[in-house]
Amino acid sequence: MLAKVWSAAIVGLDAVPIEVEVDIASQGLPSFSIVGLPDKAVEEAKERVRSALKNSGADFPAKRITVNLAPADLPKEGPSYDLPIAVGMLIASGQLQVDTTKSLFMGELALDGRVRHTNGVLPIAMLARERHIDNFFVPKANEKEASYIAGIHIFPVDNLKKLYVHLSGQTLIAQQPYTSLEDMQQLQDFPYDMQDIRGQEKAKRALEIAAAGSHNLLFKGPPGAGKTMLARTTPSILPFPTFSEMLEITKIYSISGLLDGEGVVHQRPFRAPHHTTSHVGLIGGGQIPRPGEVSLSHRGILFLDEFPEFQRPTMEALRQPLEDGFVAISRANGRVTFPARFMLIAAQNPCPCGYLGDNSHECSCAPSQIIRYQKKVSGPLLDRIDIHVDIPAVKTEKLTSRDTENNETSAIIRARVQKARDMQTVRFQGTTLSSNSDMGSKDIKLFCPLSDECINLLRMAVDKLHLSARSYYRTIKVARTIADLEGAKDITKEHLAEALQYRPRQEGL
């Protein structure tokens, strides 16, 4: 007898339907085979399904069993096919009579029949809604994650026996109610606050501008100046993620197996990989491509401390995601695209010893060492960073001062940032843009008209600072964000002058 049950596979960030066909032949020696490009984890499903059926009180047919995972040319990986294979075997053996054409199953089986947590539930739930599949049976551990998709019935499955009883119509499994993402959009506690940072007013102003427009930023300063502290405080001033951004972030973390118990990521991510991170770890890849740190930072922050210490090929691989907002990974099995629209915060010392230009410490580096160290980061990569800030060492009187009146809290700064982002949301309504940093050259001409006075200032800046065409447009985007923070409709000469202060004096160094 032949049975067909629907499941799904993850390709990149999207789910594709998988038809699980189970055939139990009336003739032939007893055997159990799985075809359809299964990996080792899928091959081992034979033993898990066999034990789970027996320990759940069902009969395991001693016949020739063939399981086909269609389409056959798509590689299948992971243990999520255990549950649909078990349901297909119950139907094919005549132990269960049910119509599963409007149902989708996924889950890993334990040997005693329990259904374990599985990665990638959210994109599969979105696929079920798109394909007008009514019922989605998921592991109970994934019930919160699936409940954020409206329009389908979510049935959290605790074990195989309860699923059998439900499908046979005896005792039904209680549906998981729909959960609105609006409940998740709330202010959270952060370990760091801008009020705790003494001095560094210029750096904090640059962080506010970067957060308001999602601009890339580079801190350069001596050890102990507060570069890392400033970067780790940035999440406390970022605007709330929108509902669509929450879903985008959660999809990435779902297929990566990094979701917490909440089932949805309601804060913008902050990723800080070590400088020994490999090219694949940062960008993504593998035989079956998986997201890297740039994609795990999507709609959030990627913090690269000790920037020049990263391997040169790894750093240069950042060029495409910084420019395009995505990474395309090609392998023999196909090509996948992961979103990677993140805000880069990089930190570095001015020289190997770290004290070049510091009045309180003498630099011990030879000129050749300084040049070699500064050239570790290429000019084209630095050109893609909107804001460059030199951070001096913090003075002792700033550290010992008890004056907190001039130190704004993160909540106050975040309110201004959120107001600027709201202006951008209205400005870019009807487009795919979400912040000023997303604008291309055509968008800048459309949304950032400049007066003759501003154009003359930019013309002089290009000549004196030797700005590239990319730097020219990035300066305008930063000026547009500064204007948004002031609530100004148009970019003025003052906004451009401040934006030009954040360009390096010598490009490529």
PDB file of all heavy atoms in Angstrom, residues 244-276:
ATOM      1  N   SER A 244       7.937  43.048  10.290  1.00  0.00           N
ATOM      2  CA  SER A 244       8.561  42.314   9.190  1.00  0.00           C
ATOM      3  C   SER A 244      10.031  42.031   9.487  1.00  0.00           C
ATOM      4  O   SER A 244      10.552  40.962   9.140  1.00  0.00           O
ATOM      5  CB  SER A 244       8.430  43.103   7.880  1.00  0.00           C
ATOM      6  OG  SER A 244       9.068  44.364   7.988  1.00  0.00           O
ATOM      7  N   GLU A 245      10.708  42.976  10.148  1.00  0.00           N
ATOM      8  CA  GLU A 245      12.105  42.747  10.513  1.00  0.00           C
ATOM      9  C   GLU A 245      12.239  41.644  11.552  1.00  0.00           C
ATOM     10  O   GLU A 245      13.184  40.849  11.512  1.00  0.00           O
ATOM     11  CB  GLU A 245      12.729  44.048  11.029  1.00  0.00           C
ATOM     12  CG  GLU A 245      12.977  45.085   9.936  1.00  0.00           C
ATOM     13  CD  GLU A 245      13.462  46.406  10.485  1.00  0.00           C
ATOM     14  OE1 GLU A 245      13.252  46.665  11.690  1.00  0.00           O
ATOM     15  OE2 GLU A 245      14.039  47.201   9.715  1.00  0.00           O
ATOM     16  N   MET A 246      11.308  41.582  12.492  1.00  0.00           N
ATOM     17  CA  MET A 246      11.320  40.498  13.473  1.00  0.00           C
ATOM     18  C   MET A 246      11.224  39.139  12.785  1.00  0.00           C
ATOM     19  O   MET A 246      11.946  38.192  13.131  1.00  0.00           O
ATOM     20  CB  MET A 246      10.147  40.649  14.451  1.00  0.00           C
ATOM     21  CG  MET A 246      10.310  41.714  15.499  1.00  0.00           C
ATOM     22  SD  MET A 246       8.939  41.649  16.673  1.00  0.00           S
ATOM     23  CE  MET A 246       9.152  43.195  17.531  1.00  0.00           C
ATOM     24  N   LEU A 247      10.339  39.036  11.796  1.00  0.00           N
ATOM     25  CA  LEU A 247      10.183  37.770  11.081  1.00  0.00           C
ATOM     26  C   LEU A 247      11.440  37.428  10.288  1.00  0.00           C
ATOM     27  O   LEU A 247      11.854  36.268  10.235  1.00  0.00           O
ATOM     28  CB  LEU A 247       8.971  37.842  10.148  1.00  0.00           C
ATOM     29  CG  LEU A 247       7.593  37.805  10.818  1.00  0.00           C
ATOM     30  CD1 LEU A 247       6.492  37.939   9.771  1.00  0.00           C
ATOM     31  CD2 LEU A 247       7.402  36.520  11.606  1.00  0.00           C
ATOM     32  N   GLU A 248      12.055  38.438   9.653  1.00  0.00           N
ATOM     33  CA  GLU A 248      13.286  38.200   8.899  1.00  0.00           C
ATOM     34  C   GLU A 248      14.386  37.666   9.820  1.00  0.00           C
ATOM     35  O   GLU A 248      15.069  36.685   9.490  1.00  0.00           O
ATOM     36  CB  GLU A 248      13.755  39.499   8.242  1.00  0.00           C
ATOM     37  CG  GLU A 248      12.881  39.983   7.103  1.00  0.00           C
ATOM     38  CD  GLU A 248      13.356  41.328   6.565  1.00  0.00           C
ATOM     39  OE1 GLU A 248      14.508  41.705   6.875  1.00  0.00           O
ATOM     40  OE2 GLU A 248      12.601  41.994   5.847  1.00  0.00           O
ATOM     41  N   ILE A 249      14.567  38.308  10.969  1.00  0.00           N
ATOM     42  CA  ILE A 249      15.610  37.895  11.908  1.00  0.00           C
ATOM     43  C   ILE A 249      15.313  36.502  12.450  1.00  0.00           C
ATOM     44  O   ILE A 249      16.197  35.642  12.540  1.00  0.00           O
ATOM     45  CB  ILE A 249      15.724  38.916  13.061  1.00  0.00           C
ATOM     46  CG1 ILE A 249      16.100  40.298  12.523  1.00  0.00           C
ATOM     47  CG2 ILE A 249      16.760  38.456  14.085  1.00  0.00           C
ATOM     48  CD1 ILE A 249      15.956  41.411  13.549  1.00  0.00           C
ATOM     49  N   THR A 250      14.043  36.256  12.792  1.00  0.00           N
ATOM     50  CA  THR A 250      13.675  34.975  13.391  1.00  0.00           C
ATOM     51  C   THR A 250      13.858  33.833  12.403  1.00  0.00           C
ATOM     52  O   THR A 250      14.257  32.730  12.788  1.00  0.00           O
ATOM     53  CB  THR A 250      12.222  35.026  13.893  1.00  0.00           C
ATOM     54  OG1 THR A 250      12.071  36.122  14.806  1.00  0.00           O
ATOM     55  CG2 THR A 250      11.857  33.737  14.616  1.00  0.00           C
ATOM     56  N   LYS A 251      13.577  34.054  11.119  1.00  0.00           N
ATOM     57  CA  LYS A 251      13.794  33.007  10.114  1.00  0.00           C
ATOM     58  C   LYS A 251      15.254  32.575  10.080  1.00  0.00           C
ATOM     59  O   LYS A 251      15.562  31.377  10.033  1.00  0.00           O
ATOM     60  CB  LYS A 251      13.378  33.516   8.729  1.00  0.00           C
ATOM     61  CG  LYS A 251      11.892  33.467   8.457  1.00  0.00           C
ATOM     62  CD  LYS A 251      11.563  34.004   7.078  1.00  0.00           C
ATOM     63  CE  LYS A 251      12.136  33.143   5.984  1.00  0.00           C
ATOM     64  NZ  LYS A 251      11.738  33.607   4.634  1.00  0.00           N
ATOM     65  N   ILE A 252      16.159  33.553  10.129  1.00  0.00           N
ATOM     66  CA  ILE A 252      17.586  33.235  10.090  1.00  0.00           C
ATOM     67  C   ILE A 252      17.994  32.447  11.324  1.00  0.00           C
ATOM     68  O   ILE A 252      18.701  31.435  11.240  1.00  0.00           O
ATOM     69  CB  ILE A 252      18.413  34.526   9.981  1.00  0.00           C
ATOM     70  CG1 ILE A 252      18.071  35.267   8.683  1.00  0.00           C
ATOM     71  CG2 ILE A 252      19.899  34.233  10.048  1.00  0.00           C
ATOM     72  CD1 ILE A 252      18.678  36.649   8.586  1.00  0.00           C
ATOM     73  N   TYR A 253      17.527  32.884  12.492  1.00  0.00           N
ATOM     74  CA  TYR A 253      17.900  32.200  13.726  1.00  0.00           C
ATOM     75  C   TYR A 253      17.201  30.851  13.855  1.00  0.00           C
ATOM     76  O   TYR A 253      17.721  29.935  14.505  1.00  0.00           O
ATOM     77  CB  TYR A 253      17.572  33.089  14.933  1.00  0.00           C
ATOM     78  CG  TYR A 253      18.641  34.117  15.220  1.00  0.00           C
ATOM     79  CD1 TYR A 253      18.887  35.163  14.333  1.00  0.00           C
ATOM     80  CD2 TYR A 253      19.430  34.030  16.353  1.00  0.00           C
ATOM     81  CE1 TYR A 253      19.877  36.093  14.578  1.00  0.00           C
ATOM     82  CE2 TYR A 253      20.421  34.954  16.612  1.00  0.00           C
ATOM     83  CZ  TYR A 253      20.641  35.994  15.718  1.00  0.00           C
ATOM     84  OH  TYR A 253      21.629  36.904  15.956  1.00  0.00           O
ATOM     85  N   SER A 254      16.044  30.711  13.224  1.00  0.00           N
ATOM     86  CA  SER A 254      15.328  29.434  13.274  1.00  0.00           C
ATOM     87  C   SER A 254      16.092  28.350  12.537  1.00  0.00           C
ATOM     88  O   SER A 254      16.301  27.246  13.062  1.00  0.00           O
ATOM     89  CB  SER A 254      13.928  29.598  12.676  1.00  0.00           C
ATOM     90  OG  SER A 254      13.246  28.361  12.643  1.00  0.00           O
ATOM     91  N   ILE A 255      16.533  28.628  11.319  1.00  0.00           N
ATOM     92  CA  ILE A 255      17.249  27.605  10.558  1.00  0.00           C
ATOM     93  C   ILE A 255      18.652  27.377  11.109  1.00  0.00           C
ATOM     94  O   ILE A 255      19.266  26.334  10.844  1.00  0.00           O
ATOM     95  CB  ILE A 255      17.328  27.969   9.068  1.00  0.00           C
ATOM     96  CG1 ILE A 255      18.223  29.176   8.833  1.00  0.00           C
ATOM     97  CG2 ILE A 255      15.954  28.199   8.483  1.00  0.00           C
ATOM     98  CD1 ILE A 255      18.511  29.452   7.390  1.00  0.00           C
ATOM     99  N   SER A 256      19.163  28.342  11.908  1.00  0.00           N
ATOM    100  CA  SER A 256      20.484  28.183  12.506  1.00  0.00           C
ATOM    101  C   SER A 256      20.417  27.509  13.867  1.00  0.00           C
ATOM    102  O   SER A 256      21.460  27.239  14.469  1.00  0.00           O
ATOM    103  CB  SER A 256      21.173  29.555  12.645  1.00  0.00           C
ATOM    104  OG  SER A 256      21.291  30.188  11.392  1.00  0.00           O
ATOM    105  N   GLY A 257      19.213  27.271  14.377  1.00  0.00           N
ATOM    106  CA  GLY A 257      19.061  26.625  15.677  1.00  0.00           C
ATOM    107  C   GLY A 257      19.458  27.505  16.845  1.00  0.00           C
ATOM    108  O   GLY A 257      19.902  26.997  17.881  1.00  0.00           O
ATOM    109  N   LEU A 258      19.282  28.822  16.716  1.00  0.00           N
ATOM    110  CA  LEU A 258      19.724  29.752  17.751  1.00  0.00           C
ATOM    111  C   LEU A 258      18.578  30.459  18.454  1.00  0.00           C
ATOM    112  O   LEU A 258      18.809  31.429  19.182  1.00  0.00           O
ATOM    113  CB  LEU A 258      20.658  30.810  17.128  1.00  0.00           C
ATOM    114  CG  LEU A 258      21.949  30.279  16.507  1.00  0.00           C
ATOM    115  CD1 LEU A 258      22.735  31.419  15.866  1.00  0.00           C
ATOM    116  CD2 LEU A 258      22.800  29.581  17.551  1.00  0.00           C
ATOM    117  N   LEU A 259      17.348  30.006  18.265  1.00  0.00           N
ATOM    118  CA  LEU A 259      16.216  30.652  18.922  1.00  0.00           C
ATOM    119  C   LEU A 259      16.189  30.298  20.399  1.00  0.00           C
ATOM    120  O   LEU A 259      16.500  29.178  20.805  1.00  0.00           O
ATOM    121  CB  LEU A 259      14.901  30.221  18.271  1.00  0.00           C
ATOM    122  CG  LEU A 259      14.574  30.845  16.919  1.00  0.00           C
ATOM    123  CD1 LEU A 259      13.238  30.329  16.419  1.00  0.00           C
ATOM    124  CD2 LEU A 259      14.536  32.366  17.015  1.00  0.00           C
ATOM    125  N   ASP A 260      15.786  31.273  21.212  1.00  0.00           N
ATOM    126  CA  ASP A 260      15.621  31.003  22.634  1.00  0.00           C
ATOM    127  C   ASP A 260      14.197  30.522  22.894  1.00  0.00           C
ATOM    128  O   ASP A 260      13.438  30.225  21.978  1.00  0.00           O
ATOM    129  CB  ASP A 260      15.923  32.262  23.461  1.00  0.00           C
ATOM    130  CG  ASP A 260      15.084  33.457  23.027  1.00  0.00           C
ATOM    131  OD1 ASP A 260      14.069  33.241  22.338  1.00  0.00           O
ATOM    132  OD2 ASP A 260      15.441  34.599  23.370  1.00  0.00           O
ATOM    133  N   GLY A 261      13.823  30.440  24.159  1.00  0.00           N
ATOM    134  CA  GLY A 261      12.512  29.907  24.503  1.00  0.00           C
ATOM    135  C   GLY A 261      11.346  30.766  24.067  1.00  0.00           C
ATOM    136  O   GLY A 261      10.206  30.301  24.059  1.00  0.00           O
ATOM    137  N   GLU A 262      11.590  32.044  23.706  1.00  0.00           N
ATOM    138  CA  GLU A 262      10.499  32.925  23.305  1.00  0.00           C
ATOM    139  C   GLU A 262       9.929  32.563  21.939  1.00  0.00           C
ATOM    140  O   GLU A 262       8.792  32.885  21.634  1.00  0.00           O
ATOM    141  CB  GLU A 262      10.982  34.384  23.295  1.00  0.00           C
ATOM    142  CG  GLU A 262      11.343  34.931  24.670  1.00  0.00           C
ATOM    143  CD  GLU A 262      10.151  35.009  25.595  1.00  0.00           C
ATOM    144  OE1 GLU A 262       9.030  35.181  25.106  1.00  0.00           O
ATOM    145  OE2 GLU A 262      10.339  34.879  26.812  1.00  0.00           O
ATOM    146  N   GLY A 263      10.716  31.928  21.106  1.00  0.00           N
ATOM    147  CA  GLY A 263      10.224  31.531  19.795  1.00  0.00           C
ATOM    148  C   GLY A 263      10.327  32.606  18.736  1.00  0.00           C
ATOM    149  O   GLY A 263      10.084  32.340  17.573  1.00  0.00           O
ATOM    150  N   VAL A 264      10.691  33.814  19.105  1.00  0.00           N
ATOM    151  CA  VAL A 264      10.838  34.893  18.139  1.00  0.00           C
ATOM    152  C   VAL A 264      11.912  35.848  18.645  1.00  0.00           C
ATOM    153  O   VAL A 264      12.055  36.059  19.853  1.00  0.00           O
ATOM    154  CB  VAL A 264       9.507  35.647  17.919  1.00  0.00           C
ATOM    155  CG1 VAL A 264       9.083  36.407  19.162  1.00  0.00           C
ATOM    156  CG2 VAL A 264       9.603  36.596  16.731  1.00  0.00           C
ATOM    157  N   VAL A 265      12.690  36.399  17.724  1.00  0.00           N
ATOM    158  CA  VAL A 265      13.720  37.377  18.094  1.00  0.00           C
ATOM    159  C   VAL A 265      13.079  38.756  18.072  1.00  0.00           C
ATOM    160  O   VAL A 265      12.698  39.244  17.007  1.00  0.00           O
ATOM    161  CB  VAL A 265      14.919  37.315  17.119  1.00  0.00           C
ATOM    162  CG1 VAL A 265      15.969  38.342  17.510  1.00  0.00           C
ATOM    163  CG2 VAL A 265      15.521  35.919  17.114  1.00  0.00           C
ATOM    164  N   HIS A 266      12.945  39.383  19.248  1.00  0.00           N
ATOM    165  CA  HIS A 266      12.277  40.685  19.315  1.00  0.00           C
ATOM    166  C   HIS A 266      13.252  41.826  19.566  1.00  0.00           C
ATOM    167  O   HIS A 266      12.839  42.964  19.756  1.00  0.00           O
ATOM    168  CB  HIS A 266      11.203  40.671  20.401  1.00  0.00           C
ATOM    169  CG  HIS A 266      11.679  40.148  21.720  1.00  0.00           C
ATOM    170  ND1 HIS A 266      12.332  40.926  22.622  1.00  0.00           N
ATOM    171  CD2 HIS A 266      11.617  38.905  22.257  1.00  0.00           C
ATOM    172  CE1 HIS A 266      12.635  40.208  23.680  1.00  0.00           C
ATOM    173  NE2 HIS A 266      12.215  38.977  23.482  1.00  0.00           N
ATOM    174  N   GLN A 267      14.554  41.532  19.577  1.00  0.00           N
ATOM    175  CA  GLN A 267      15.569  42.570  19.663  1.00  0.00           C
ATOM    176  C   GLN A 267      16.485  42.491  18.447  1.00  0.00           C
ATOM    177  O   GLN A 267      16.678  41.418  17.884  1.00  0.00           O
ATOM    178  CB  GLN A 267      16.411  42.404  20.932  1.00  0.00           C
ATOM    179  CG  GLN A 267      15.699  42.785  22.219  1.00  0.00           C
ATOM    180  CD  GLN A 267      16.637  42.705  23.416  1.00  0.00           C
ATOM    181  OE1 GLN A 267      17.688  42.075  23.340  1.00  0.00           O
ATOM    182  NE2 GLN A 267      16.258  43.326  24.496  1.00  0.00           N
ATOM    183  N   ARG A 268      17.029  43.621  18.069  1.00  0.00           N
ATOM    184  CA  ARG A 268      17.984  43.616  16.964  1.00  0.00           C
ATOM    185  C   ARG A 268      19.237  42.864  17.410  1.00  0.00           C
ATOM    186  O   ARG A 268      19.752  43.102  18.502  1.00  0.00           O
ATOM    187  CB  ARG A 268      18.326  45.039  16.540  1.00  0.00           C
ATOM    188  CG  ARG A 268      17.127  45.789  15.961  1.00  0.00           C
ATOM    189  CD  ARG A 268      17.521  47.153  15.433  1.00  0.00           C
ATOM    190  NE  ARG A 268      16.346  47.863  14.924  1.00  0.00           N
ATOM    191  CZ  ARG A 268      15.870  47.742  13.704  1.00  0.00           C
ATOM    192  NH1 ARG A 268      16.481  46.944  12.850  1.00  0.00           N
ATOM    193  NH2 ARG A 268      14.800  48.415  13.319  1.00  0.00           N
ATOM    194  N   PRO A 269      19.753  41.968  16.577  1.00  0.00           N
ATOM    195  CA  PRO A 269      20.908  41.154  16.990  1.00  0.00           C
ATOM    196  C   PRO A 269      22.181  41.970  17.119  1.00  0.00           C
ATOM    197  O   PRO A 269      22.366  42.986  16.439  1.00  0.00           O
ATOM    198  CB  PRO A 269      21.025  40.111  15.883  1.00  0.00           C
ATOM    199  CG  PRO A 269      20.342  40.717  14.704  1.00  0.00           C
ATOM    200  CD  PRO A 269      19.251  41.586  15.242  1.00  0.00           C
ATOM    201  N   PHE A 270      23.048  41.516  18.004  1.00  0.00           N
ATOM    202  CA  PHE A 270      24.385  42.085  18.168  1.00  0.00           C
ATOM    203  C   PHE A 270      25.365  40.922  18.144  1.00  0.00           C
ATOM    204  O   PHE A 270      25.373  40.074  19.028  1.00  0.00           O
ATOM    205  CB  PHE A 270      24.496  42.844  19.497  1.00  0.00           C
ATOM    206  CG  PHE A 270      25.863  43.440  19.734  1.00  0.00           C
ATOM    207  CD1 PHE A 270      26.173  44.696  19.263  1.00  0.00           C
ATOM    208  CD2 PHE A 270      26.837  42.735  20.439  1.00  0.00           C
ATOM    209  CE1 PHE A 270      27.433  45.255  19.476  1.00  0.00           C
ATOM    210  CE2 PHE A 270      28.085  43.278  20.660  1.00  0.00           C
ATOM    211  CZ  PHE A 270      28.389  44.544  20.183  1.00  0.00           C
ATOM    212  N   ARG A 271      26.166  40.854  17.088  1.00  0.00           N
ATOM    213  CA  ARG A 271      27.113  39.759  16.911  1.00  0.00           C
ATOM    214  C   ARG A 271      28.536  40.321  16.971  1.00  0.00           C
ATOM    215  O   ARG A 271      28.829  41.347  16.346  1.00  0.00           O
ATOM    216  CB  ARG A 271      26.899  39.055  15.574  1.00  0.00           C
ATOM    217  CG  ARG A 271      25.486  38.561  15.345  1.00  0.00           C
ATOM    218  CD  ARG A 271      25.113  37.399  16.223  1.00  0.00           C
ATOM    219  NE  ARG A 271      25.948  36.224  15.971  1.00  0.00           N
ATOM    220  CZ  ARG A 271      25.754  35.064  16.560  1.00  0.00           C
ATOM    221  NH1 ARG A 271      24.777  34.911  17.458  1.00  0.00           N
ATOM    222  NH2 ARG A 271      26.544  34.040  16.282  1.00  0.00           N
ATOM    223  N   ALA A 272      29.399  39.650  17.727  1.00  0.00           N
ATOM    224  CA  ALA A 272      30.778  40.108  17.887  1.00  0.00           C
ATOM    225  C   ALA A 272      31.729  38.924  17.723  1.00  0.00           C
ATOM    226  O   ALA A 272      32.264  38.402  18.701  1.00  0.00           O
ATOM    227  CB  ALA A 272      30.963  40.764  19.254  1.00  0.00           C
ATOM    228  N   PRO A 273      31.956  38.460  16.493  1.00  0.00           N
ATOM    229  CA  PRO A 273      32.859  37.319  16.279  1.00  0.00           C
ATOM    230  C   PRO A 273      34.311  37.687  16.579  1.00  0.00           C
ATOM    231  O   PRO A 273      34.720  38.837  16.432  1.00  0.00           O
ATOM    232  CB  PRO A 273      32.664  36.998  14.793  1.00  0.00           C
ATOM    233  CG  PRO A 273      32.233  38.288  14.185  1.00  0.00           C
ATOM    234  CD  PRO A 273      31.400  38.976  15.228  1.00  0.00           C
ATOM    235  N   HIS A 274      35.077  36.692  17.009  1.00  0.00           N
ATOM    236  CA  HIS A 274      36.499  36.891  17.294  1.00  0.00           C
ATOM    237  C   HIS A 274      37.260  37.083  15.987  1.00  0.00           C
ATOM    238  O   HIS A 274      36.818  36.625  14.919  1.00  0.00           O
ATOM    239  CB  HIS A 274      37.041  35.672  18.060  1.00  0.00           C
ATOM    240  CG  HIS A 274      38.384  35.886  18.668  1.00  0.00           C
ATOM    241  ND1 HIS A 274      39.548  35.417  18.095  1.00  0.00           N
ATOM    242  CD2 HIS A 274      38.763  36.547  19.800  1.00  0.00           C
ATOM    243  CE1 HIS A 274      40.575  35.753  18.846  1.00  0.00           C
ATOM    244  NE2 HIS A 274      40.141  36.436  19.893  1.00  0.00           N
ATOM    245  N   HIS A 275      38.429  37.714  16.083  1.00  0.00           N
ATOM    246  CA  HIS A 275      39.169  38.009  14.851  1.00  0.00           C
ATOM    247  C   HIS A 275      39.772  36.757  14.204  1.00  0.00           C
ATOM    248  O   HIS A 275      40.265  36.834  13.076  1.00  0.00           O
ATOM    249  CB  HIS A 275      40.273  39.045  15.111  1.00  0.00           C
ATOM    250  CG  HIS A 275      41.342  38.607  16.064  1.00  0.00           C
ATOM    251  ND1 HIS A 275      41.342  38.965  17.389  1.00  0.00           N
ATOM    252  CD2 HIS A 275      42.428  37.833  15.879  1.00  0.00           C
ATOM    253  CE1 HIS A 275      42.394  38.442  17.981  1.00  0.00           C
ATOM    254  NE2 HIS A 275      43.077  37.742  17.090  1.00  0.00           N
ATOM    255  N   THR A 276      39.723  35.629  14.898  1.00  0.00           N
ATOM    256  CA  THR A 276      40.181  34.370  14.277  1.00  0.00           C
ATOM    257  C   THR A 276      39.073  33.663  13.510  1.00  0.00           C
ATOM    258  O   THR A 276      39.284  32.562  12.993  1.00  0.00           O
ATOM    259  CB  THR A 276      40.727  33.425  15.356  1.00  0.00           C
ATOM    260  OG1 THR A 276      39.712  33.199  16.353  1.00  0.00           O
ATOM    261  CG2 THR A 276      41.963  34.005  16.029  1.00  0.00           C
TER     262      THR A 276
END
